Amino acid sequence: MSNDVNAYIDPRTGKILGQPIKKSEFIQWTTALHRSLFLKETGRFIVGFISFLLVLISVSGFALVLNRQRSIRSLFSKIVKENFAQYYHVFLGRLSLIPILILALSGTYLTLEKFNFFLEKTDSEEKIEVVKTSPISKKEDSSILKNTLLADVQKIEFPFSDDPEDYYIIGLKDREIEVNQITGVLISESPTSMTTQLSDLSLDLHTGRTSILWAIILGIASLNILFFIYSGFAMTLKRRASRIKNKYNAGESKFILLVGSENGSTLRFANAIHKQLLAHGEKAFIAELNTYSVYPKAEQLIIFTSTHGLGDAPANASKFISLINKTGQQQKIKVSVVGFGSKSYPDFCGFAQEIDAELSKKNWAERILELQTVNDKSSEEFVEWVKLWSAKTGIPLSTTPSIYNEIPKGLQKLKVLDKTTVSDTEHTFLLTLQASTNTKFTSGDLLAIYPANDNRERLYSIGNHDGNIQLVVKLHPSGLGSGYLYGVEKGSILKARIIKNQVFHFPKKASKVALISNGTGIAPFLGMLEQNKKKTDIHLYCGFRTETETVSGYKKFADEMMEKQQLQSFHLALSREENHFYVMDLIKRDAAFFVDLLKQGGVIMICGSLAMQKDVESVLDELCLVKTAKGIVAYKAKGQILTDCY
């Protein structure tokens, strides 16, 4: 009869603690997938090879971070957030680099051991290592056994018989000992091979079996690996989306655009210029800076480059400086350099500066513009270069910032709560939208919509109406944005993003405020009046063409606000009525009020058309010069005149 027992046993008392729990089918399935991909020996080799690749990826990733930060001390410096995938790829990579590297190294070692990459010593060699000892006293022996911690015991082989020559074989962490089963005398000991010790250490590190804390760290690191796969693909796809396409070759092109870009963002700007040049019928060629060569028919050379790390060249521009020093051009070429970077880094546009300095030494390069820089991919700053370059070359490129904006991701979903209609005489409508409860905005912020689902952006001033977004929109016959907004149905969902407009928020400390608007520019002011719970002294001046039903609604709203003491006075100018008035006429009429308001530290806010803003500022400037000997420039510098016009 067999006496074998399969149970958990307390080694100190011999008491049975419980029966081993069989692993669930899911755990067995997961284990087989992890170890061999269900492909047995072939799968184990594949998994081991992937572990080795992960080692290379971890080491190369660390090297790239060091190259970017220049020192280990700067390893955890601020990360510039370009997008979600890029930011968290770097952030999580810094935190989980060491655990992932340990996972990969230990997995690779275990695979190599599985395939007998590390040869064990022969039996003859092992016998030489055995250290025979003379019998020692029971007192000494007893101290050895009693001082051996159970936690250090790896395995125990029991004697097969009562023969004194059959010994207990006890495997410890660092050695294996033989003990006489009768006397307890230590018979021999031999050190555990380095291969076995490394195998045990690798298994401990790879599985976390010896520490719950280390197991949790490994679990989090494993989840991070999944995120790295996603973010890596996301960044790759983003770069491919802005890949280079050419209609003409370098040898026949008049315009040469060379790009240095680490993640594709700079290439996006260059592509936008390239497309416009082609649309103007020009022969243009775009390529990476590392492909620089002789351009026999080139008249214009435009260089767009970012700066990688701390003043370094991007990967596709690392050879450019040496190339231009080796290869000259046969004719004079007009040159312009545009640098892209972030002012969060000390070497802002450092590589662009280096290129500009090198080109200034070349006799073939005729620099037509000083180096232009763009901070944090600002399309507004890029447009400043576009204006200068167009003026120099006579080629009219688009100066609309939205043309160079990236199509935004993760737009908010807004529900259409209400929309008024237009008529033959009324071309303006009000649109009320509901945002999610955690969306923060205030009157004066901007709503950006993308009606054609491309990079064409339309902005509208926001009014906060009962916690909802309210827009006042003029419907234009072929207006892209207004047509889209007028086409939405009540209860439908539209996607947009809210842009904080800090420079046009209602002043918190001003004792008196004058609001001046025309047309749809009244939208943010309606919200500001509604939010004026502190009952700041506000005076509203607004101009419209005729008194429509909508304008009558504004008058009624103004009366309600005055009853609540949230508005002090309301002044209306109608330019197409019998007794026509313009907003400027109202300002001239109340000249003393406006001059006194500015002198006392009050604030004037202007929203509406640019033409109206120009006329109003001209009138105010004239009044201020006469009454205070100071123009409105001085008041603008103090933040007493705020504008948001279009």
Side-chain angles (χ1 to χ4, degrees):
M1 183 177 178
S2 174
N3 293 323
D4 290 345
V5 176
N6 184 22
Y8 292 116
I9 299 174
D10 188 332
R12 295 168 296 183
T13 64
K15 182 180 178 181
I16 295 178
L17 302 176
Q19 298 297 321
I21 301 173
K22 184 180 179 181
K23 292 182 180 179
S24 68
E25 292 185 5
F26 174 74
I27 295 298
Q28 294 181 50
W29 181 87
T30 304
T31 303
L33 174 66
H34 179 76
R35 288 179 177 174
S36 64
L37 303 174
F38 308 119
L39 299 175
K40 299 183 179 179
E41 293 299 309
T42 303
R44 289 212 167 199
F45 176 79
I46 294 172
V47 170
F49 183 68
I50 293 173
S51 296
F52 175 68
L53 293 180
L54 186 57
V55 172
L56 298 182
I57 292 172
S58 301
V59 172
S60 60
F62 182 68
L64 288 173
V65 171
L66 280 183
N67 181 60
R68 187 181 181 94
Q69 302 302 130
R70 290 290 182 86
S71 67
I72 294 179
R73 182 181 298 177
S74 304
L75 192 61
F76 290 95
S77 60
K78 180 181 177 182
I79 304 169
V80 177
K81 188 173 184 179
E82 297 177 0
N83 54 69
F84 174 84
Q86 166 269 338
Y87 178 81
Y88 284 102
H89 191 89
V90 176
F91 176 74
L92 294 176
R94 291 178 177 182
L95 296 180
S96 58
L97 173 65
I98 293 177
I100 289 175
L101 186 58
I102 291 174
L103 268 175
L105 283 170
S106 58
T108 303
Y109 183 89
L110 291 171
T111 300
L112 292 174
E113 183 193 41
K114 173 67 180 177
F115 287 96
N116 299 317
F117 184 82
F118 307 106
L119 297 177
E120 295 285 349
K121 295 181 181 296
T122 63
D123 291 342
S124 59
E125 290 175 321
E126 287 182 353
K127 288 178 181 177
I128 295 173
E129 291 181 359
V130 173
V131 179
K132 292 287 183 179
T133 62
S134 59
I136 58 179
S137 70
K138 289 186 178 180
K139 183 177 180 181
E140 292 173 322
D141 181 60
S142 175
S143 65
I144 290 174
L145 295 177
K146 286 184 177 180
N147 291 331
T148 300
L149 298 176
L150 189 60
D152 295 332
V153 177
Q154 303 292 312
K155 65 177 181 178
I156 300 177
E157 291 184 18
F158 291 85
F160 286 102
S161 67
D162 295 334
D163 188 339
E165 296 298 319
D166 281 342
Y167 307 126
Y168 284 104
I169 301 175
I170 303 174
L172 303 177
K173 288 184 176 180
D174 58 347
R175 66 191 187 279
E176 188 174 85
I177 61 176
E178 291 182 338
V179 178
N180 187 292
Q181 63 172 304
I182 298 173
T183 64
V185 172
L186 179 65
I187 303 301
S188 68
E189 66 178 352
S190 58
T192 305
S193 67
M194 183 61 67
T195 301
T196 303
Q197 292 185 48
L198 286 175
S199 176
D200 290 339
L201 177 62
S202 296
L203 195 59
D204 291 343
L205 292 175
H206 194 74
T207 62
R209 63 182 183 177
T210 58
S211 168
I212 184 64
L213 178 60
W214 179 243
I216 292 172
I217 293 173
L218 292 181
I220 295 173
S222 298
L223 291 175
N224 283 344
I225 292 174
L226 295 177
F227 176 79
F228 294 148
I229 294 172
Y230 154 74
S231 57
F233 270 113
M235 290 188 291
T236 300
L237 291 174
K238 182 179 179 182
R239 292 172 186 175
R240 284 185 59 81
S242 54
R243 60 187 180 275
I244 292 174
K245 297 178 183 178
N246 277 301
K247 181 178 180 181
Y248 302 101
N249 61 47
E252 63 180 328
S253 296
K254 175 181 174 182
F255 294 87
I256 305 296
L257 287 69
L258 298 181
V259 187
S261 182
E262 190 68 26
N263 57 23
S265 297
T266 302
L267 182 56
R268 175 168 51 83
F269 285 91
N271 270 331
I273 298 299
H274 182 229
K275 290 177 182 178
Q276 292 182 70
L277 290 173
L278 294 177
H280 281 292
E282 302 289 354
K283 291 184 177 181
F285 175 80
I286 183 171
E288 296 179 342
L289 280 165
N290 278 347
T291 65
Y292 171 85
S293 62
V294 176
Y295 306 110
K297 295 187 178 180
E299 296 180 12
Q300 295 273 355
L301 173 63
I302 311 173
I303 294 175
F304 306 89
T305 185
S306 61
T307 296
H308 182 63
L310 301 179
D312 297 329
N316 64 355
S318 58
K319 303 175 183 177
F320 179 70
I321 297 298
S322 62
L323 286 174
I324 60 171
N325 287 328
K326 294 177 182 177
T327 307
Q329 302 297 326
Q330 304 303 314
Q331 75 281 11
K332 290 280 188 180
I333 300 178
K334 295 179 173 62
V335 175
S336 178
V337 180
V338 187
F340 294 80
S342 172
K343 291 183 178 178
S344 298
Y345 291 110
D347 295 288
F348 173 64
C349 293
F351 183 59
Q353 295 174 21
E354 184 180 355
I355 289 177
D356 192 59
E358 287 295 329
L359 287 174
S360 67
K361 303 174 184 177
K362 310 303 176 187
N363 56 14
W364 56 264
E366 181 184 340
R367 188 166 60 178
I368 60 172
L369 291 173
E370 295 295 322
L371 170 67
Q372 303 294 308
T373 60
V374 178
N375 179 47
D376 285 339
K377 300 180 290 185
S378 168
S379 56
E380 288 77 12
E381 292 186 17
F382 183 69
V383 161
E384 294 304 312
W385 170 81
V386 172
K387 291 176 181 177
L388 294 172
W389 191 85
S390 293
K392 283 286 185 180
T393 61
I395 299 175
L397 300 180
S398 175
T399 56
T400 303
S402 60
I403 294 295
Y404 307 100
N405 282 337
E406 184 178 11
I407 301 173
K409 302 292 189 299
L411 299 178
Q412 296 184 41
K413 293 181 178 180
L414 307 174
K415 183 179 180 180
V416 180
L417 295 180
D418 192 26
K419 183 189 69 177
T420 61
T421 58
V422 300
S423 62
D424 293 338
T425 57
E426 179 69 81
H427 301 292
T428 300
F429 63 96
L430 276 70
L431 185 66
T432 307
L433 307 171
Q434 182 184 53
S436 61
T437 54
N438 59 350
T439 301
K440 295 182 180 180
F441 65 92
T442 190
S443 299
D445 285 337
L446 301 172
L447 184 75
I449 64 169
Y450 304 86
N453 199 31
D454 56 17
N455 64 352
R456 285 177 289 176
E457 181 181 73
R458 296 295 183 266
L459 301 175
Y460 295 89
S461 294
I462 289 175
N464 188 322
H465 174 58
D466 292 332
N468 297 313
I469 297 170
Q470 187 176 70
L471 310 177
V472 179
V473 184
K474 182 177 181 181
L475 179 61
H476 295 276
S478 57
L480 179 63
S482 63
Y484 168 75
L485 291 176
Y486 192 65
V488 299
E489 298 293 335
K490 184 176 179 180
S492 63
I493 301 294
L494 65 84
K495 294 183 179 180
R497 67 186 179 109
I498 295 173
I499 301 174
K500 294 295 181 184
N501 191 19
Q502 299 283 358
V503 296
F504 201 68
H505 286 173
F506 189 81
K508 295 180 179 180
K509 297 182 179 180
S511 58
K512 186 179 293 186
V513 179
L515 308 177
I516 303 173
S517 72
N518 73 329
T520 58
I522 196 173
F525 295 157
L526 298 177
M528 290 177 188
L529 293 176
E530 191 174 321
Q531 291 177 285
N532 184 27
K533 304 302 181 183
K534 293 183 179 180
K535 299 181 180 179
T536 302
D537 193 353
I538 299 178
H539 303 261
L540 177 60
Y541 290 76
C542 53
F544 301 96
R545 292 185 177 184
T546 58
E547 185 165 345
T548 61
E549 184 179 345
T550 301
V551 174
S552 297
Y554 296 152
K555 291 171 66 177
K556 182 180 178 180
F557 176 77
D559 290 338
E560 292 174 359
M561 291 295 101
M562 284 190 285
E563 286 181 11
K564 295 179 180 180
Q565 298 182 340
Q566 291 175 229
L567 175 64
Q568 189 67 26
S569 65
F570 175 65
H571 308 274
L572 178 63
L574 301 173
S575 61
R576 299 291 176 87
E577 297 289 354
E578 184 177 353
N579 297 319
H580 58 274
F581 274 93
Y582 292 93
V583 172
M584 284 68 69
D585 297 322
L586 298 177
I587 296 172
K588 291 176 182 177
R589 183 196 69 187
D590 297 342
F593 163 78
F594 283 99
V595 171
D596 185 60
L597 179 146
L598 291 173
K599 288 172 65 176
Q600 293 182 14
V603 175
I604 298 174
M605 302 183 72
I606 306 170
C607 186
S609 68
L610 286 169
M612 183 272 294
Q613 175 190 344
K614 182 179 179 180
D615 291 338
V616 169
E617 289 186 347
S618 178
V619 171
L620 288 174
D621 190 51
E622 184 178 339
L623 292 174
C624 291
L625 286 172
V626 172
K627 300 292 184 179
T628 67
K630 291 193 300 184
I632 64 168
V633 174
Y635 295 107
K636 277 190 171 184
K638 294 180 181 179
Q640 288 184 254
I641 297 179
L642 308 177
T643 62
D644 182 27
C645 296
Y646 37 86

